[in-house]
Amino acid sequence: RGSMRLDCDNFAHNSQQSTWWEHMLPNGQAAHVWFIADPNTLSTAVTRLSFQGPQSLTAVDIQGVNLRAAAGRLCLMQVCFWDQGSLQCFLFDIMQLGGHVQSLQSFLESSESPKLMYKAQVGATVLAHKFGITLAGVLDVGTAYGMLHNGQHLGDLMDYFEWINIATPGQREEAEKIEQNP
């Protein structure tokens, strides 16, 4: 099976350990960020996500290379939610976790756990193709924007951040740099 090879595919030189840190948000609150790169830490994250239910709201985002094509490469998935009064952000290193990502299936397929996602169709296609996961309980923020604004489309995720007034100075320029660098 011919899959896309990236410079970072050589795990002997580039594997990272799971870790966590606090990140200060522009509003002064701290987000607890968990980088998840091994099966044991993944198991802990899956347990925490199992508590997400109808009264919770979770944001999901995926990043990769050429995700519109079947041969594209999913590299990172971010899942954020409020827990115990603070923002929790899980960054799943999909490249290191490989098939272990399948353990997120019950959360991602739960219609009882509402999830916000930008370009949900792309995420649904990638997760179904790569891991056999069928997303459920997802609200596409671009579609919601269009429904509220007479069919207008968001150009990109930064348009959404600006619409809900959470964009920070220089964020659009930084996002454009990231998009231009595969």
Side-chain angles (χ1 to χ4, degrees):
R1 185 172 167 172
S3 66
M4 177 181 288
R5 301 291 299 168
L6 302 173
D7 291 339
C8 54
D9 284 337
N10 185 354
F11 294 129
H13 299 292
N14 291 323
S15 71
Q16 296 186 24
Q17 301 297 313
S18 295
T19 187
W20 77 276
W21 65 91
E22 281 192 1
H23 179 78
M24 293 306 294
L25 301 172
N27 67 3
Q29 290 184 309
H32 299 269
V33 181
W34 308 85
F35 180 74
I36 300 164
D38 67 83
N40 290 335
T41 308
L42 175 62
S43 178
T44 301
V46 167
T47 299
R48 290 197 58 202
L49 289 172
S50 72
F51 293 104
Q52 296 298 97
Q55 300 303 313
S56 62
L57 183 60
T58 305
V60 177
D61 187 37
I62 60 170
Q63 295 294 317
V65 178
N66 198 24
L67 289 180
R68 295 185 192 277
R73 186 65 178 269
L74 180 59
C75 300
L76 185 71
M77 181 182 339
Q78 178 176 310
V79 177
C80 297
F81 57 96
W82 285 98
D83 185 36
Q84 301 175 357
S86 64
L87 183 63
Q88 307 292 315
C89 295
F90 292 168
L91 300 175
F92 297 97
D93 185 331
I94 304 301
M95 293 177 66
Q96 281 187 203
L97 292 170
H100 295 286
V101 170
Q102 192 72 34
S103 65
L104 290 165
Q105 184 169 7
S106 61
F107 166 71
L108 292 169
E109 291 186 347
S110 173
S111 59
E112 298 296 314
S113 299
K115 296 169 271 301
L116 294 175
M117 191 170 199
Y118 180 68
K119 293 188 178 181
Q121 185 59 50
V122 172
T125 301
V126 168
L127 290 169
H129 179 74
K130 303 292 184 192
F131 300 104
I133 294 173
T134 304
L135 284 178
V138 175
L139 172 67
D140 186 304
V141 297
T143 301
Y145 179 89
M147 291 173 70
L148 294 170
H149 290 89
N150 298 320
Q152 288 180 327
H153 295 284
L154 287 172
D156 57 26
L157 191 55
M158 284 306 306
D159 288 345
Y160 173 71
F161 290 156
E162 289 168 356
W163 174 52
I164 62 172
N165 202 28
I166 64 167
T168 58
Q171 188 174 4
R172 180 173 292 279
E173 292 78 16
E174 199 61 35
E176 287 172 1
K177 285 181 195 175
I178 290 170
E179 284 298 319
Q180 293 172 1
N181 184 352

